[in-house]
């Protein structure tokens, strides 16, 4: 398996975990659970990639804890923005 493909698969799984964790932090959003998970994955992918680009040591597939933290921050931001838009 290509290491780049594996990195994206790991990032999606981490984004899923981060989305579920972020859902517990961001309260009062009126999206269904699957919507929160999808927004969490998108936030995790976007911000995981962004943090990985800006701070390569923090968020990388080889640094799972850093990747979860970066993805959770991204998921929280995206869920917060979704809360503002869909409330």
């Amino acid at each position: 398996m290509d290491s780049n493909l594996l990195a994206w698969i790991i990032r999606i799984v981490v984004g899923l975990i981060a989305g579920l964790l972020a859902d517990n932090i961001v309260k009062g959003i009126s999206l269904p659970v699957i919507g929160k998970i999808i927004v969490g994955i998108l936030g995790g992918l976007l911000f995981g990639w962004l943090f990985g680009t800006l701070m390569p040591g923090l968020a990388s597939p080889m640094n799972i804890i850093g990747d979860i933290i970066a993805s959770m921050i991204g998921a929280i931001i995206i869920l917060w923005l979704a809360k503002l838009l869909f409330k």
Side-chain angles (χ1 to χ4, degrees):
M1 181 178 281
D2 182 24
S3 64
N4 203 15
L5 176 63
L6 182 60
W8 278 104
I9 291 171
I10 290 171
R11 187 142 298 158
I12 289 170
V13 171
V14 166
L16 172 70
I17 294 167
L20 292 172
L21 292 172
D23 180 45
N24 289 321
I25 294 170
V26 179
K27 300 293 183 188
I29 186 167
S30 60
L31 289 175
V33 173
I34 191 70
K36 293 175 187 176
I37 291 171
I38 291 170
V39 169
I41 290 173
L42 292 176
L45 285 172
L46 178 64
F47 283 87
W49 169 80
L50 182 64
F51 284 134
T53 301
L54 297 175
M55 297 174 273
L58 175 65
S60 72
M62 298 306 133
N63 181 2
I64 296 296
I65 301 299
D67 200 27
I68 289 173
I69 291 169
S71 295
M72 193 168 79
I73 291 169
I76 288 169
I77 291 170
I78 297 292
L79 283 174
W80 180 75
L81 290 173
K83 179 180 173 181
L84 290 176
L85 292 173
F86 297 113
K87 192 167 184 183

